[in-house]
Amino acid sequence: MNFKQSIKNGNICLGIEFGSTRIKAALIDENNKLIEMGSFTWKDSLVKGLWTYPQKLIIKGLQNAYLDLKNKIKNKYNVVLTKFLSIGISAMMHGYIVLDKNDKLLTPFRTWRNTNTKEASTILSKTFNFNIPQRWSIAHLYQAILNNEKHVNEIKYLTTLAGYIHYLLTGSKNIGIGDASGMFPINKEGNNYCDNYVKSFDSILKANNIKLNLLSILPNVKVAGEIAGNLTKEGSLLIDPTGDIEHNIPLCPPEGDAQTGMVATNSIEHLTGNVSAGTSIFGMIVLIQPLKNWYETIDIVTTPNGFPVAMVHCNNCSTDLNLWVNIFSEYNNLINFRIDDKELINLLINNVKKSDVENQNIFSCNYHSGEPITNFENGIPFIAYHTNSGLNLSKLFRTFLYSCFATFAIGFKILSKENIKITNIVAHGGMFNNDGISQHILSSMLNVPVTVMNEVTAGGPYGIAILAHYAINNKLSLLEFLNTKVFRAIKKTTIKPLKKDARALSKYLNFYENCLSIEKTIIENFNK
């Protein structure tokens, strides 16, 4: 009844996040409690060698995720959603969305998953003496310049997916500091783009006869707690074509999914960390000070309030696992056996308990796309096992789970070179919605305790809804707001690594790295 009254009074905040496999709409009340979730499943496409989502699908997904939420609220509380205290938009970080003077897309959206920007990434990293990953928007722009793509001189606005949706809803060319940090390096103050690097890139533009000024095409940077625009009448109709939503609702700065994951796990304090696992997997460690060196496998991004963050990002995580689950689902359909997909995947993963951590003589490479961490421009999944491995269902899915986390663990090792002491990591995402199996494997693979918050399973969409609420209730610092208003009484489950398992998985990681040479051979032969 409290939720119903909050909805009727409009004392609610809406967060919509565009993930890699699902678009989710989360609704919270004035006490930051999750009321309901709506979702829409989508999939990227490989078009002319580049990973993308069509513009029509982006809009369809926005509307359908919201409609799913709206229908659930109507059915459960008999109330029609019409007004909100605030709204927030987030999406998968990085990528390349460029608009012309008429706000038309100059190219299809190029996602974080593309690995065609290695040349640009390498040159910019050396020029700046700062790691510019292949996923970053500036790497995509420079690669387009190197490729002599005709659209470059027509660019009037360069943004991310979250920034693009925010612009459609508000008409404001703003972006959150965290999402901005996946476009271009941020200054030491953590409140804007780095001036020196901006000047360096403007020199690159001039040298290539590109008639652009970088700051004129980038979105304006906002930090958590600021208002980044208001919902226009056109924007309200874009979310809900029925016209039920009132306009002029304030929006918080649009953010990346990495930042909303930090908020959803209360991991924005120095030396706290979190891991988000789904289609991709990435881990974030909030730094006290910048790293001593720069590394190709470590992104330096920020929290939503501008603190520096070391980010380990892998392009591949659960895609291959999900496809194998789909095979079992297809088999069930063939024999007319009905089982819910979520129940099926939980059965298959929980069955992993029957196999031993040791003697896992099976190798599974889950690379559906390129993987910069291990220097792969593209990928081809495969599985290999020793004839004496005693292959069974439990071992098979154990190796699939190992594959989901192995490349991430390889990248994570680098942080030890900087003597960064991590005492705990909070994990979230669909990979951890089982009986602690994934949590235990990740803990032993990283040799760090891993915590899952029992009551917060909404992840990033919940995080952006919280940021939306904070934008209109910002008297406290973001850290104080999260600690006192959101997570004060939250329940958690922490799993510590077992020494025996940590040793076994350390051995397995060495085995995994050595076996990646097979992946290179397979790719070379497939491409002949």
Side-chain angles (χ1 to χ4, degrees), residues 4 7-8 70-81:
K4 182 174 181 177
I7 297 166
K8 289 180 71 174
K70 181 181 178 181
N71 288 339
K72 286 178 178 177
I73 294 298
K74 182 67 170 66
N75 293 336
K76 194 170 184 178
Y77 300 103
N78 196 29
V79 180
V80 176
L81 289 175

Side-chain angles (χ1 to χ4, degrees), residues 56-123:
K56 288 183 179 179
L57 186 59
I58 292 171
I59 303 304
K60 178 183 177 182
L62 169 68
Q63 294 174 349
N64 279 268
Y66 178 78
L67 179 61
D68 186 37
L69 172 66
K70 181 181 178 181
N71 288 339
K72 286 178 178 177
I73 294 298
K74 182 67 170 66
N75 293 336
K76 194 170 184 178
Y77 300 103
N78 196 29
V79 180
V80 176
L81 289 175
T82 60
K83 54 186 177 180
F84 306 92
L85 294 171
S86 56
I87 297 174
I89 300 295
S90 62
M92 56 192 97
M93 287 184 72
H94 319 113
Y96 186 71
I97 287 183
V98 282
L99 306 178
D100 67 10
K101 62 182 180 181
N102 298 314
D103 290 337
K104 300 294 184 183
L105 284 174
L106 289 167
T107 73
F109 167 40
R110 298 176 182 178
T111 80
W112 56 269
R113 199 171 192 175
N114 290 294
T115 52
N116 64 310
T117 59
K118 186 173 183 179
E119 182 183 6
S121 170
T122 301
I123 294 172

Side-chain angles (χ1 to χ4, degrees), residues 389-407:
S389 64
L391 181 64
N392 57 41
L393 190 61
S394 176
K395 281 192 172 184
L396 185 66
F397 272 82
R398 179 177 286 278
T399 197
F400 292 153
L401 289 175
Y402 283 2
S403 186
C404 287
F405 298 129
T407 301

Side-chain angles (χ1 to χ4, degrees), residues 180-455:
S181 69
M183 297 187 73
F184 195 84
I186 300 301
N187 60 23
K188 292 181 181 179
E189 293 74 24
N191 59 13
N192 213 330
Y193 307 110
C194 180
D195 286 339
N196 290 337
Y197 296 152
V198 168
K199 291 175 183 177
S200 294
F201 195 79
D202 278 341
S203 297
I204 291 173
L205 292 173
K206 187 175 181 180
N208 284 273
N209 296 315
I210 304 298
K211 298 177 182 178
L212 293 177
N213 173 275
L214 184 61
L215 289 183
S216 70
I217 64 171
L218 288 176
N220 302 311
V221 177
K222 300 285 185 180
V223 297
E226 294 187 87
I227 301 295
N230 291 282
L231 187 67
T232 63
K233 186 174 182 179
E234 294 78 11
S236 65
L237 289 171
L238 193 67
I239 299 175
D240 186 354
T242 67
D244 284 336
I245 300 180
E246 296 179 2
H247 58 278
N248 208 33
I249 297 166
L251 272 77
C252 70
E255 270 298 358
D257 54 355
Q259 284 68 35
T260 58
M262 284 188 274
V263 171
T265 55
N266 196 19
S267 302
I268 66 163
E269 191 172 3
H270 294 308
L271 295 184
T272 60
N274 80 95
V275 170
S276 175
T279 303
S280 65
I281 179 171
F282 51 84
M284 320 285 289
I285 303 298
V286 185
L287 303 173
I288 295 177
Q289 56 190 15
L291 299 180
K292 296 174 185 176
N293 303 293
W294 66 272
Y295 306 91
E296 288 185 6
T297 54
I298 303 290
D299 299 17
I300 299 299
V301 292
T302 78
T303 63
N305 53 342
F307 293 163
V309 173
M311 177 181 185
V312 179
H313 185 288
C314 300
N315 287 355
N316 299 277
C317 185
S318 67
T319 300
D320 195 51
L321 171 68
N322 291 336
L323 288 174
W324 280 98
V325 172
N326 288 344
I327 288 174
F328 285 85
S329 179
E330 185 179 349
Y331 171 74
N332 288 334
N333 289 333
L334 283 174
I335 62 173
N336 292 318
F337 180 74
R338 304 301 174 198
I339 183 172
D340 179 78
D341 286 345
K342 289 183 180 179
E343 185 180 354
L344 173 62
I345 193 168
N346 282 334
L347 280 172
L348 291 168
I349 290 179
N350 288 337
N351 187 58
V352 166
K353 294 177 183 177
K354 295 180 180 178
S355 61
D356 192 358
V357 175
E358 297 181 324
N359 304 316
Q360 187 72 13
N361 296 323
I362 308 174
F363 175 77
S364 170
C365 180
N366 66 340
Y367 292 1
H368 272 256
S369 62
E371 190 54 78
I373 290 283
T374 46
N375 201 28
F376 282 84
E377 291 188 12
N378 46 53
I380 295 174
F382 79 95
I383 182 170
Y385 56 91
H386 195 281
T387 53
N388 295 326
S389 64
L391 181 64
N392 57 41
L393 190 61
S394 176
K395 281 192 172 184
L396 185 66
F397 272 82
R398 179 177 286 278
T399 197
F400 292 153
L401 289 175
Y402 283 2
S403 186
C404 287
F405 298 129
T407 301
F408 173 75
I410 292 168
F412 203 80
K413 286 180 182 178
I414 292 174
L415 295 178
S416 62
K417 295 181 180 179
E418 293 275 343
N419 294 317
I420 296 174
K421 306 298 182 184
I422 305 161
T423 57
N424 186 75
I425 284 177
V426 181
H428 72 111
M431 286 293 296
F432 301 101
N433 291 340
N434 52 63
D435 192 21
I437 305 298
S438 298
Q439 190 179 353
H440 173 74
I441 289 173
L442 182 62
S443 174
S444 296
M445 199 170 275
L446 300 181
N447 202 19
V448 173
V450 172
T451 295
V452 170
M453 293 182 173
N454 299 358
E455 297 179 22

